[in-house]
Amino acid sequence: MRGEPYQSDMFCAEVKNYSQPGGQGTHFDEFLAKCYVAAQIQHHLSDHFMWITWSPFRANSWSTLSSADQVEAAVLQHRSRVFGTDDLDEARKLLDPELARSVAARLWLIVLSEKQETLLPLKDWEAIVAAELTRREGSW
């Protein structure tokens, strides 16, 4: 990533270019569980976790999708893959609430539209920005 406060941060992203919500909720829960595991093993791309979609989903609970409670619920839902156990009580004991809060704090929910895809910088401006970044930092 470029620009403060994210300069040189790395991210993992899952992209769902769907025209309708479909099964995004199910995929999102799986994504959250994967983010938890990535954060747990301190994966080098886990400064931020981005869910990028073209179709909103779970509109009635949108404001809580990036909450620690949602991360915890997703991890417990996928407990056999995350913790290697089907026992819910055992999984609850293994779950790290602080790690779930950390994942939630790093989570980005991005909804795009086809029209937004046209908002690309002009090639002339892209060249100017590349030249300036190269001058300042030594590489583009």
Side-chain angles (χ1 to χ4, degrees):
M1 298 176 80
R2 294 194 179 274
E4 294 302 329
Y6 308 112
Q7 184 64 36
S8 300
D9 283 2
M10 302 296 283
F11 65 91
C12 290
E14 186 153 337
V15 179
K16 298 295 185 194
N17 192 352
Y18 293 175
S19 60
Q20 298 292 321
Q24 282 193 79
T26 301
H27 296 295
F28 182 71
D29 292 338
E30 187 175 323
F31 172 72
L32 292 180
K34 290 175 184 176
C35 293
Y36 180 92
V37 172
Q40 187 177 48
I41 64 171
Q42 299 177 356
H43 190 272
H44 69 283
L45 298 177
S46 62
D47 294 326
H48 305 276
F49 303 107
M50 296 183 183
W51 177 266
I52 304 169
T53 184
W54 279 253
S55 182
F57 64 104
R58 291 187 181 166
N60 291 336
S61 60
W62 184 260
S63 63
T64 63
L65 290 182
S66 60
S67 69
D69 288 343
Q70 184 68 42
V71 174
E72 288 184 15
V75 168
L76 292 174
Q77 179 183 350
H78 293 278
R79 63 189 169 272
S80 63
R81 291 181 68 194
V82 176
F83 300 121
T85 182
D86 287 326
D87 184 274
L88 183 58
D89 291 330
E90 184 179 343
R92 281 190 176 118
K93 291 175 189 172
L94 295 170
L95 188 135
D96 180 349
E98 182 57 40
L99 185 60
R101 282 190 290 276
S102 175
V103 168
R106 297 186 247 178
L107 186 61
W108 298 52
L109 298 172
I110 302 169
V111 179
L112 299 174
S113 71
E114 288 182 17
K115 207 170 206 178
Q116 285 173 300
E117 292 180 59
T118 66
L119 295 174
L120 300 175
L122 298 173
K123 288 294 179 193
D124 294 345
W125 285 104
E126 194 174 290
I128 292 167
V129 170
E132 181 62 19
L133 286 173
T134 300
R135 186 184 69 76
R136 287 184 187 183
E137 301 171 14
S139 70
W140 166 237

